[in-house]
Amino acid sequence: MLKRFYPDFEKDSAYTIEYESLYEAGYRGVIFDIDNTLVPHGAPATDEAVKLFQRLHTIGFQTLVLSNNKEPRVKSFADAVDTPYIFKAGKPGRAGYEKAMKNMNTGSSTTLFVGDQLFTDVWGAKKAGIRTYLVKPIHPKEEIQIVLKRFLEKIVLYFYHKEMEKN
């Protein structure tokens, strides 16, 4: 039952993923969460984020930011990193992920998702058949509903790590 929440991969940061290797392996689109995945919650795009998107576009990737946040927040970030966006995405529902893939002209087998939350980001992407990367939250300060979810995430990740040790 918990396996539906398990990420395909874990990384310390969205900035340490080996995107060149993934492109060589046939991936063509990357969907990102914003808050606490690329920047602290509510923060504007950083130079590091801008450079990451430039790098991805140079490699040949299509990119898109997918957020449950409101349009002013998502649009300002997406404009700064020069990528399309979907706001009020309804994660973990599949529709936002499917709309993102349609926007990028990719399919589930050629798309990656990078996010920091199991119960919205990872679960939604997995329901859409997308390979997932769970990254560590950038900043510990979070809204109360996310703090509560983090407690439950720790339980799921405990069992995930136990299973990974067996393999």
Side-chain angles (χ1 to χ4, degrees), residues 74-106:
V74 181
K75 181 181 184 338
S76 65
F77 184 91
D79 287 351
V81 298
D82 191 27
T83 198
Y85 64 92
I86 297 172
F87 67 99
K88 289 190 179 179
K91 294 184 288 183
R94 291 175 57 168
Y97 297 90
E98 290 170 351
K99 185 177 177 182
M101 288 186 286
K102 185 175 180 182
N103 181 295
M104 296 187 301
N105 294 311
T106 60

Side-chain angles (χ1 to χ4, degrees), residues 9-155:
F9 302 98
E10 280 185 292
K11 282 289 191 177
D12 287 341
S13 166
Y15 300 100
T16 62
I17 295 170
E18 295 176 358
Y19 296 102
E20 290 82 0
S21 298
L22 292 164
Y23 191 85
E24 288 175 18
Y27 291 96
R28 295 297 181 261
V30 186
I31 305 169
F32 288 95
D33 175 52
I34 300 171
D35 290 317
N36 249 348
T37 296
L38 295 167
V39 294
H41 188 82
T46 59
D47 287 343
E48 186 179 32
V50 171
K51 287 176 184 168
L52 173 63
F53 279 80
Q54 288 171 343
R55 175 179 153 212
L56 291 168
H57 296 155
T58 298
I59 293 168
F61 275 110
Q62 297 295 311
T63 60
L64 186 138
V65 292
L66 183 74
S67 175
N68 284 344
N69 220 318
K70 295 177 183 168
E71 187 171 22
R73 166 39 178 167
V74 181
K75 181 181 184 338
S76 65
F77 184 91
D79 287 351
V81 298
D82 191 27
T83 198
Y85 64 92
I86 297 172
F87 67 99
K88 289 190 179 179
K91 294 184 288 183
R94 291 175 57 168
Y97 297 90
E98 290 170 351
K99 185 177 177 182
M101 288 186 286
K102 185 175 180 182
N103 181 295
M104 296 187 301
N105 294 311
T106 60
S108 59
S109 65
T110 59
T111 304
L112 303 164
F113 183 85
V114 181
D116 70 300
Q117 292 187 53
L118 286 179
F119 301 128
T120 50
D121 297 332
V122 169
W123 187 29
K126 288 183 77 77
K127 288 194 292 184
I130 300 170
R131 179 150 294 175
T132 59
Y133 276 84
L134 177 69
V135 296
K136 292 180 181 172
I138 288 177
H139 196 275
K141 185 175 187 278
E142 297 182 298
E143 297 171 344
I144 187 64
Q145 71 271 17
I146 296 173
V147 172
L148 297 173
K149 283 194 276 184
R150 295 285 186 210
F151 176 75
L152 296 173
E153 284 182 355
K154 285 181 183 176
I155 295 167

